[in-house]
Amino acid sequence: MNKIYNPKPETWSNILERPTKTVDDIEATVKEIFKEVQKKGDEAVAKYTSLFDGVAFKNIEVSSAEITEAISKVSNELKAAIQLAKSNIEKFHAAQKTERVQIETIEGVICWQEKRPIQKVGLYIPGGTAPLFSTVLMLAVPATIAGCKEIVLCSPPDKNGNINPAILYAANLCGVTKILKVGGIQAIAGLTFGTETIPKVYKIFGPGNQFVTVAKQLATQFGVAIDMPAGPSELLIVADDTAVASFVASDLLSQAEHGVDSQVILVSTSKNFIDAVETEIQEQITVLPRKEIAEKAIANSKLIFVENDAIALDLINEYGPEHFIVCTACDDFYIDKIENAGSVFIGNYTPESAGDYASGTNHTLPTNGYAKNYSGVNLDSFLKAMTFQKISEKGILNIGKAIEIMAEAEGLRAHKNAVTLRLKAIENEK
Amino acid sequence: MNKIYNPKPETWSNILERPTKTVDDIEATVKEIFKEVQKKGDEAVAKYTSLFDGVAFKNIEVSSAEITEAISKVSNELKAAIQLAKSNIEKFHAAQKTERVQIETIEGVICWQEKRPIQKVGLYIPGGTAPLFSTVLMLAVPATIAGCKEIVLCSPPDKNGNINPAILYAANLCGVTKILKVGGIQAIAGLTFGTETIPKVYKIFGPGNQFVTVAKQLATQFGVAIDMPAGPSELLIVADDTAVASFVASDLLSQAEHGVDSQVILVSTSKNFIDAVETEIQEQITVLPRKEIAEKAIANSKLIFVENDAIALDLINEYGPEHFIVCTACDDFYIDKIENAGSVFIGNYTPESAGDYASGTNHTLPTNGYAKNYSGVNLDSFLKAMTFQKISEKGILNIGKAIEIMAEAEGLRAHKNAVTLRLKAIENEK
């Protein structure tokens, strides 16, 4: 752990620097697979599934029999936990619905904004050691509330050609319309171009390794939208002597176990507290099954002492953490003033895990400083705002002259003429 | 004009195909200029301003004396028109403000969502023959309402080193905090990396030629967000015998004058109406100053007859027009059922020009089929949604067990431990 006392503002950007990855070598591979999937469809997908996942399929679509079997394999205890989490996520995302915004900007000119669902969305759920069924909840629940018609989930099969039962259970529970056993670059390419089996979608959501991340970026060059750019997960905690050192240490460790490149930062106005957290981390880390990963992330972690909360706030806003835990004597100060953060966790009994699973907020959040310019996934991520306007004769009389003058000044005579013709017609009616 | 009767659905995607551009040759140039600006800052910016715009500056920042002079050059008539437009745009975008969304998802677990401004935004306004001061309104007004702290406007200088007075007038009126005489790739690169003079921003908005478009795309690889991918402007009108052929023709022409690659489409259930519009276009086009541009766009335009409104709707949803004018006996059918469109204009007295300038809606809209997955620019484009959660002891008792079970099932023991420690502490308190 790196303890840093009173760093000068001009050093913050160095101290807070995130690991950068070069993706140039990956990019060529991704482009090649995209080209092949675009051209050969399912055949290319099958080739790469065989190559990367080591399995061959006749049919990559998960059948209802497979879903039924998966449901029977998930314990009742886990089902109940998933259902509770789903209920909270549903409540919070349903609350984000916005009504039509309508106003008469000037007499006779009615403008409104309405949000309508993105018709076809793709959800990517990584495979590997940790089956991320929680991410299924975080993406499928708002997609269903938004009213997306096609919700296609792709997840790589294991060596036996199966997807983890908990993922299938959650997908079925949350309204996913099609589940496909396909992962990696070939899954993102399939969702981008469409194949005989994989539907082309308009927006792709979900986490993934660096291949998936680069593939999602490339997808945007072919007209597909993505949820947000990805990066390693990160947590910044601001805490003082009013916090509990063991709790704070457990939160830092829960971030550290995600991956060796996880970012773990503690900012405090108390040197004693920093020391106490350090001791707690050293104790707690010994019993973790993912200890090796956590140790590497912790080795890169930063424990930063600053003189006061105003300095802490400035530093935190410069960093823009994905997860931000506040546990101080002046929580309200941070809540009011935080400008850049993905999700904020307040007080001693609000661990990051709560937001990761069950509080109701979304865990798909902007990393890598993107909290400065991107929202985390929310209901609006599955909708697009459309505007409407209806102008009466009275309305065009009210704004027609201004449009004519502005169009003329921009040198767009046909724009002007579209108004002039209408004003003349109204004149002639009299 | 291409008249097409009753096209079969399987031919729609061909008929509605948009022009595609290869950007590969541009990309190398853009990358090179980015590299140079990143390395050399203002020096590189000056070099390319001299090369592309033919002017050399000591200082690219517009001074308050220049603004004062510009204000005196804009006619009172144009000022009044701009002020009227601003007032309507302000009203409509201010109405889009959303309150904090807060709920208690389960007893003791309070979650809320709040939107906070993106602190630093860059607005790009093209130069050239048409001074797009209307775009200044469309971007700076919502940026100001959102509360963005730094609103930096870049626009290329003319041969004499000046920006059009109407652009300066509008920028000053709408709360832009800094105006810079810099355009093209070097402007986007400057906003991406920051230079001695150009501030680094978090999100870049605004239209531009294909160099600017590719530069904005590249900017996203360096952590900057952009408003949306760009493409040639487009208009689809659905109209029947209840519409006025001369009005519809004038709207199609106002789209056609934008550029030779503008997309102009009329869909109708009346062959007579299509013929009447065709005749009107031929008449009206002769007097346009931008006739040559309009003629080329019109030559590629499509006048499509379909049997009924249901077919028309399907075709329109497949296309996803940027601008969509509805002028039929059953407008409500289209308004209710349209799934993919940027902005919708309803009835005989609602020309596209109204939304381009003064109705109040935004004219920065998704083209190229992006209406399927992107919103047009709106107030939220300048904000990001952040989530907050505060959990009490009672709250963690309510959801703690579920988190423990889910974290364990995902193999994330430290996530579980963060909850277990807290549950134990509560237990010990008793």
Side-chain angles (χ1 to χ4, degrees), chain B residues 91-129:
Chain B
K91 283 180 205 162
F92 186 56
H93 288 77
Q96 292 166 24
K97 275 187 202 167
T98 42
E99 294 302 309
R100 170 204 276 219
V101 173
Q102 178 172 324
I103 57 160
E104 194 166 4
T105 53
I106 198 168
E107 197 191 340
V109 179
I110 296 171
C111 299
W112 70 95
Q113 182 200 54
E114 261 182 69
K115 290 175 184 165
R116 302 209 170 166
I118 296 173
Q119 297 298 317
K120 305 175 188 187
V121 297
L123 316 183
Y124 186 82
I125 305 296
T129 49

Side-chain angles (χ1 to χ4, degrees), chain A residues 284-350:
Chain A
Q284 291 182 27
I285 202 168
T286 56
V287 298
L288 292 180
R290 293 167 74 98
K291 187 184 155 196
E292 273 183 47
I293 293 172
E295 275 177 343
K296 282 181 189 153
I298 286 293
N300 291 320
S301 67
K302 311 263 159 60
L303 310 179
I304 305 173
F305 168 80
V306 293
E307 287 290 345
N308 60 52
D309 291 293
I311 297 172
L313 179 77
D314 285 346
L315 182 145
I316 295 161
N317 274 326
E318 176 157 335
Y319 183 66
E322 179 194 12
H323 302 99
F324 175 39
I325 296 182
V326 187
C327 211
T328 68
C330 56
D331 289 351
D332 285 343
F333 168 76
Y334 288 99
I335 298 169
D336 289 347
K337 305 279 187 190
I338 182 72
E339 289 169 350
N340 304 315
S343 194
V344 184
F345 301 77
I346 303 152
N348 277 321
Y349 291 96
T350 315

Side-chain angles (χ1 to χ4, degrees), chain B residues 249-321:
Chain B
S250 73
D251 292 328
L252 292 170
L253 283 169
S254 74
Q255 186 57 42
E257 78 174 338
H258 270 301
V260 294
D261 53 2
S262 282
Q263 294 274 295
V264 177
I265 298 172
L266 171 65
V267 177
S268 183
T269 52
S270 159
K271 286 180 191 170
N272 287 341
F273 186 77
I274 285 176
D275 292 340
V277 170
E278 195 179 20
T279 308
E280 276 287 342
I281 287 176
Q282 278 153 355
E283 260 176 49
Q284 292 182 28
I285 203 168
T286 55
V287 298
L288 293 180
R290 292 167 74 99
K291 187 183 154 195
E292 273 182 49
I293 291 172
E295 275 177 342
K296 281 182 190 153
I298 287 292
N300 290 320
S301 68
K302 310 263 158 61
L303 311 178
I304 304 172
F305 168 80
V306 293
E307 287 291 345
N308 59 53
D309 291 291
I311 297 172
L313 178 77
D314 286 346
L315 183 145
I316 295 160
N317 273 327
E318 176 156 336
Y319 183 66

